Amino acid sequence: GVSIDMASAFMLTLTSASLGLKSEFLRAPSDSATTDKSTPKPQFPVMFRVSSGQHSDVFLGSTPVSVVSEKVQQTTLSKIHTRRALTAAGVPMSIGALAWDENTAAIDAIEKAGVTRLIVKPNKGSRGLGILCDASPDAARAFIRKHPGQAFVVEQFVDGDEYRIYVTGGVFVDCYARQ
């Protein structure tokens, strides 16, 4: 079958080509001109590069690799840092905060605000893995306590469609609805 990463890569490269951006599939991390050779060798074709003039981004699946700055990597690899960056940029966000097994005060604050439906996501994770969706505050607390030492972002659950959006060099490249 076709993985989500392969589907994302193909859709991204087709869309980037239609926008006049250069895209190419890479067979190994050494092909990507990254400085991080510890990046695992992917199964072709999940590593790819999208370029717009002088700017170039390399992705392993849907994750940018070391050609982006350390600050960008740290922001995008942490959901709480991403929330803070989006909030600072004026993007409306649902109510949410960081919680872990020894500190679920974020859930208390969210519950005090009248929110009864929550989503719990690992602070560092992707592809929807390890998520508890549409949970009560009590279920969220129990879930977090079952994962000692792991940080979670707890947010108000919002019904609706979810979209993955790709941008490179400040240029919109692609968007698709996630299932």
Side-chain angles (χ1 to χ4, degrees):
V2 176
S3 73
I4 289 293
D5 282 339
M6 287 177 64
S8 296
F10 284 118
M11 187 172 4
L12 180 62
T13 55
L14 288 172
T15 303
S16 63
S18 72
L19 295 171
L21 301 172
K22 180 182 176 188
S23 60
E24 60 187 306
F25 289 104
L26 309 167
R27 292 184 182 273
S30 59
D31 296 339
S32 67
T34 67
T35 56
D36 180 10
K37 302 306 179 204
S38 67
T39 303
K41 184 174 181 179
Q43 292 183 344
F44 184 75
V46 295
M47 186 173 255
F48 57 97
R49 177 183 353 215
V50 177
S51 305
S52 172
Q54 296 278 330
H55 187 79
S56 179
D57 286 321
V58 175
F59 296 86
L60 176 60
S62 59
T63 305
V65 294
S66 62
V67 294
V68 297
S69 72
E70 182 70 22
K71 181 179 179 183
V72 169
Q73 285 184 39
Q74 293 307 313
T75 299
T76 59
L77 293 176
S78 164
K79 287 180 180 59
I80 200 69
H81 290 150
T82 300
R83 282 185 60 85
R84 290 175 183 150
L86 291 170
T87 299
V91 176
M93 302 289 295
S94 63
I95 187 170
L98 197 61
W100 55 97
D101 59 319
E102 296 177 1
N103 186 347
T104 58
I107 297 172
D108 300 336
I110 293 169
E111 189 174 28
K112 193 173 186 175
V115 175
T116 59
R117 298 172 66 199
L118 304 175
I119 185 165
V120 181
K121 304 181 237 181
N123 185 46
K124 295 187 178 187
S126 64
R127 299 187 201 146
L129 301 175
I131 289 177
L132 177 64
C133 192
D134 200 6
S136 70
D138 287 339
R141 284 184 196 91
F143 179 80
I144 290 170
R145 288 189 178 119
K146 288 181 184 175
H147 298 87
Q150 187 172 354
F152 291 89
V153 173
V154 181
E155 299 173 320
Q156 175 183 8
F157 178 78
V158 178
D159 278 319
D161 296 326
E162 179 183 350
Y163 297 91
R164 173 157 283 184
I165 300 170
Y166 293 95
V167 175
T168 185
V171 176
F172 168 80
V173 177
D174 197 13
C175 173
Y176 70 92
R178 292 181 62 172
Q179 304 285 331

